[in-house]
Amino acid sequence: MAISAINVRNQFKGTVKEIIRGSVVSEVDVETPYGIVTSVITTRSIDELDLKVGAEVVALVKSTEVSIARI
């Protein structure tokens, strides 16, 4: 599958580092040159995308809100 056009400016190429499967939703950790990006997606999507640890992927980040907490 090739991505020919997409309206997401923040794209990070990386490798799947860990998958924590749940019955409905799962967590996917992607190691990028900038650090780890974690995505929560449906377990069905993991199966349909055939995601496995070590797979090369692109993390597409699109958000309308960024929260900040003081430390």
Side-chain angles (χ1 to χ4, degrees):
M1 178 177 138
I3 301 172
S4 60
I6 192 161
N7 185 20
V8 177
R9 299 201 185 275
N10 299 312
Q11 301 180 25
F12 304 97
K13 290 183 181 179
T15 304
V16 175
K17 181 177 180 182
E18 182 178 14
I19 298 173
I20 302 171
R21 291 181 67 94
S23 58
V24 178
V25 294
S26 298
E27 292 180 39
V28 179
D29 288 343
V30 177
E31 186 153 13
T32 76
Y34 310 101
I36 294 183
V37 175
T38 301
S39 176
V40 176
I41 64 174
T42 64
T43 303
R44 180 178 182 174
S45 292
I46 288 177
D47 295 337
E48 289 176 357
L49 291 169
D50 195 28
L51 293 181
K52 308 268 190 262
V53 171
E56 292 184 20
V57 296
V58 177
L60 306 167
V61 180
K62 186 170 185 177
S63 176
T64 57
E65 177 181 333
V66 176
S67 299
I68 297 176
R70 186 169 178 181
I71 56 173

